[in-house]
């Protein structure tokens, strides 16, 4: 539940209409600022290499296994990207991982 949804919920459903203390004092800057750029890396991995890389998982098709494999790949490549969501497909010979990798751009906090 987002902060705003929580606020709206409490205004109508919480006993006494309680809401978060100070919610009205929060200022949100909605200026369009790019802080991260997202790129997709599509990895085609031989099935035995993938299975060996996630051997510690009882279910190699678990999302945490994909995440771990891609994170290890990024670490090995010395890629500074921040790992996001990973999608997986596989066939009899390969595992295909589509990983969203985020890279910081200019920070809006640094310009203040």
């Amino acid at each position: 539940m987002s902060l705003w949804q929580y606020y709206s919920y409490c205004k109508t459903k919480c006993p006494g209409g309680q809401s978060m203390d100070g919610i009205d004092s929060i200022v949100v800057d909605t200026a369009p600022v790019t802080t991260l750029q997202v790129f997709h890396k599509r990895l085609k991995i031989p099935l035995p290499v993938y299975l060996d890389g996630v051997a510690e998982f009882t279910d190699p098709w678990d999302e945490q296994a994909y995440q771990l494999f891609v994170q290890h790949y990024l670490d090995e490549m010395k890629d500074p990207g921040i790992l996001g969501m990973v999608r997986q497909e596989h066939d009899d010979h390969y595992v295909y991982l589509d990983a969203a990798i985020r890279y910081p751009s200019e920070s809006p906090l640094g310009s203040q």
Side-chain angles (χ1 to χ4, degrees), residues 14-110:
C14 290
Q18 298 170 7
S19 65
M20 290 178 51
D21 290 337
I23 189 81
D24 295 325
S25 66
I26 297 173
V27 177
V28 178
D29 179 7
T30 58
V33 177
T34 301
T35 58
L36 294 171
Q37 293 184 326
V38 179
F39 295 90
H40 283 259
K41 291 191 185 274
R42 293 180 183 96
L43 308 176
K44 179 181 175 182
I45 309 147
L47 186 58
V49 172
Y50 174 76
L51 293 175
D52 185 51
V54 296
E56 65 191 75
F57 288 87
T58 54
D59 180 4
W61 311 117
D62 182 81
E63 186 176 352
Q64 290 180 340
Y66 322 146
Q67 294 275 338
L68 177 75
F69 190 93
V70 175
Q71 187 60 59
H72 284 173
Y73 172 80
L74 294 174
D75 293 345
E76 285 291 319
M77 304 310 307
K78 300 195 183 332
D79 186 320
I82 303 164
L83 181 58
M85 293 182 64
V86 178
R87 292 185 304 180
Q88 175 272 141
E89 292 182 13
H90 65 278
D91 59 28
D92 292 340
H93 305 287
Y94 293 97
V95 175
Y96 307 91
L97 298 179
D98 178 359
I101 311 295
R102 300 168 294 179
Y103 296 91
S105 58
E106 183 179 326
S107 170
L109 298 177

